[in-house]
Amino acid sequence: MAVRQDLNVAIAEFTELKQQLERDSLVLSVLKQLQEFDRAIKDYNTALLEKKYVAAARHLEKARSSLKTLESRKGFELKVLKALGTELTVQTQNMLYHLGEEWRQMVLWKLPPSKEISSAETVMQTELHLRTMPLKEDQIAGSPVASVLQAFAVLGELHTRLKLFGQLLLKYILKPLISYPSLRPLLEEQPDTVVLHFESAEPNLEHPSPMEVFGKITLVLEVLHKHLLNVSLDECGENDKDSRVVLAEMLGDMVWEEVSGCLIQECLVYSIPANSSKLEQYVEVIKSTEEFEKSLKNMGFLKGDATDLLKYARNVNSHFANKKCQDVIVAARKLMTSEIHNTVKITPDSSVAIPKLPDPGAGDNLKMQKASKMLHNELINLENETKLSQQTFSLPTCHISVSVEKLMELAYQTLVEATTSTDQCCIQLFYSVRNIFHLFYDVVPIYHKENLQKLPQLAAIHHNNCMYIAHHLLTLGHQFRYCLTNILYDGAATFVDLVPGFRRLGLECFLAQMRVQKGELLERLSSARNFSNMDNEENYSAANKAARQDISAEDADRLHSLCRIMLEEGPLVFTPLLEENKNKKYQEEVPVYVQKWMMFKELMIILQANLQEIVDRWADGKGPLAAEFSPTEVKSLIRALFQNTERRAATLAKIK
């Protein structure tokens, strides 16, 4: 029992000693961490005074690591840790301040007062100063740029600083060089500084060539690479070879997406050829884009394979087709919304002026032979039949709008270009031509609706326009059948399905106008007494007036003279006072007492007015003429006084 009791005592003593040892070890460890924190802060201060920024930053990070270790020990909280944390924050901000000052001496921006870039003149005020030699009183240990940037990397601030630099570079240098053709980068070398700024030159073109823009961007990046960005840094700040990165590559990752997007939208888009004959010349643009990207890769700004910029340049056929189709539709819509009344005479001998179609490819010879054989057989079968006139299937002589003639020429020219394009481009251009006619069908009746309803001559011209288009659509596809891509050969290259719609479009408008004209004729002849008993002078006179509806110029002059006499002498009736000179006041008040006096005055004016003067006095229903006469009455007067011309029709359309 005594031995067991001694054993228990020994165990208890051992346990107590063990716990004491653990407490002492913990205290010793804490003291060691505090000592390391203190030593790191002292070493940091020494290195900072000596401008050994990388060493100072690493000492700060060592102090930060010691503090984290102390804070991680649970159950052993010290009040001093809060003070140490505050001290560490203060010293970190102090370090960042010194590094920021050094950075501003190395990279100095002089920016325009306005934050918005609204013109090339605003950008001209931008300057970027890069210090190439440190000041004598500010000698930094090691390479100045490398030391400052590596210290930023150790403190975890490199990405933030470089991102801000990249944003300024984009906004004030790279994007303006792309967007404003007149800007040129200018390099000025001073003893200890290189200054990058702009000069202005008169641009040769509205949009510069890609080669010219690539040259400007390359010059700027070469300057930055030589004096600032050709630095290899440890991004993690721990001297690990695997974590080292070139500063130019970091900047490239930040800005390249926006730079390439701007180059595409502001430069490459406008370099796409307008016609297929210039596509071969675009090889130069592709080659210059490849060389541009290669130079950026050599400087470290880019890595990997072709970027979106080069892919866009190489995909020129697709972009050309899209641009061409868009230009065709825009041009077509402009023609459709132009005036209809400008016309040209079309005869059976008229034809659309188009270049000679290319010969079909060798692969199409068999198709041509088969088609020729079928045509020959058909001719043989018809040989003994009654022969038709050469004009049987010709469009009758008529007038059509100049804009429609140009529209048809546009369709033919686009199809001609499709014959020399790639298969995909050919298909897109073919369906763009079909879209032209779909657009005409939808746009013209709506855009010109009011004029087509009110002006008979325009309705007739529109009818001719539709029939002219339908006439060409009958054979348009057949003319190009053997010249387009094989994909469109088997019945797809046709426009015949559009013919009934165009014929109906022109016919409906024309018939609607005929119904209107019929109604007006019946209205005018309503007072002709059914043209009965023409031997009766009174009936003949009424029928004659109803048929002619015309006040002659001589009649109008006589009526005007009579009205003037009434206008001048009528007020003299108002003489209530004996003194003649006092009656003028009452004579001027005639409109107050005679309700139709102002109507009478307006009628007298109309008898001597021209069409424009009548429109002016009507003033969209707000003028003095509109106050006295209804639209129907004014229209009747116009029809009676003026011959049926296009000007009269236009004037009638404005009286509503």
Side-chain angles (χ1 to χ4, degrees), residues 403-438:
S403 59
V404 169
E405 184 183 42
K406 291 181 179 178
L407 187 72
M408 210 66 230
E409 289 177 0
L410 176 65
Y412 273 94
Q413 290 165 2
T414 305
L415 288 174
V416 169
E417 186 147 14
T419 62
T420 60
S421 302
T422 61
D423 285 355
Q424 182 59 39
C425 183
C426 177
I427 294 171
Q428 286 186 251
L429 290 176
F430 171 78
Y431 281 104
S432 288
V433 175
R434 282 188 61 93
N435 288 339
I436 287 176
F437 299 115
H438 284 299

Side-chain angles (χ1 to χ4, degrees), residues 105 130-136 139 144 190-194 227:
Q105 289 185 8
L130 301 175
R131 188 170 294 281
T132 56
M133 295 291 292
L135 298 174
K136 293 182 179 180
Q139 290 293 339
Q190 298 176 358
D192 58 352
T193 306
V194 170
H227 298 290

Side-chain angles (χ1 to χ4, degrees), residues 87-210:
E87 176 65 15
L88 183 62
T89 301
V90 170
Q91 294 303 328
T92 300
Q93 294 302 316
N94 182 46
M95 175 76 176
L96 291 175
Y97 170 77
H98 282 83
L99 290 175
E101 289 299 309
E102 295 289 353
W103 176 252
R104 275 187 285 275
Q105 289 185 8
M106 297 174 188
V107 181
L108 177 63
W109 286 95
K110 291 186 177 179
L111 303 176
S114 174
K115 293 183 179 180
E116 296 298 325
I117 304 298
S118 56
S119 65
E121 288 71 22
T122 305
V123 185
M124 289 283 292
Q125 304 175 56
T126 300
E127 289 185 6
L128 175 59
H129 296 246
L130 301 175
R131 188 170 294 281
T132 56
M133 295 291 292
L135 298 174
K136 293 182 179 180
E137 64 272 14
D138 274 343
Q139 290 293 339
I140 300 175
S143 170
V145 173
S147 297
V148 172
L149 293 175
Q150 184 62 68
F152 275 132
V154 173
L155 296 176
E157 286 288 320
L158 178 61
H159 189 274
T160 302
R161 294 284 171 170
L162 200 58
K163 184 177 181 181
L164 178 60
F165 176 80
Q167 290 172 344
L168 294 175
L169 183 67
L170 272 172
K171 182 175 181 180
Y172 293 100
I173 294 182
L174 298 182
K175 284 188 175 181
L177 281 176
I178 300 170
S179 302
Y180 299 108
S182 62
L183 291 179
R184 301 283 187 277
L186 193 63
L187 191 64
E188 181 182 340
E189 296 190 3
Q190 298 176 358
D192 58 352
T193 306
V194 170
V195 180
L196 187 64
H197 55 94
F198 295 108
E199 64 176 354
S200 181
E202 191 66 28
N204 297 326
L205 302 171
E206 182 181 358
H207 302 288
S209 68

Side-chain angles (χ1 to χ4, degrees), residues 539-565:
N539 288 349
Y540 174 77
S541 177
N544 184 47
K545 289 182 179 179
R548 293 181 62 191
Q549 291 284 305
D550 188 15
I551 300 174
S552 67
E554 184 179 355
D555 290 343
D557 289 338
R558 289 180 176 180
L559 287 172
H560 182 269
S561 299
L562 291 173
C563 290
R564 177 173 292 280
I565 293 173

Side-chain angles (χ1 to χ4, degrees), residues 578-629:
L578 295 177
E579 295 86 354
E580 187 175 343
N581 58 351
K582 294 183 180 180
N583 289 321
K584 189 174 182 180
K585 172 186 174 183
Y586 300 99
Q587 293 167 0
E588 290 175 349
E589 293 178 349
V590 169
V592 178
Y593 305 105
V594 182
Q595 294 181 356
K596 301 291 184 178
W597 188 256
M598 296 307 297
M599 178 184 286
F600 179 74
K601 289 183 68 175
E602 289 297 325
L603 176 61
M604 189 187 78
I605 292 173
I606 289 179
L607 290 172
Q608 289 288 291
N610 58 40
L611 289 171
Q612 184 57 49
E613 290 171 343
I614 293 174
V615 171
D616 292 341
R617 295 195 70 79
W618 180 259
D620 293 330
K622 300 176 182 177
L625 181 58
E628 304 301 330
F629 289 92

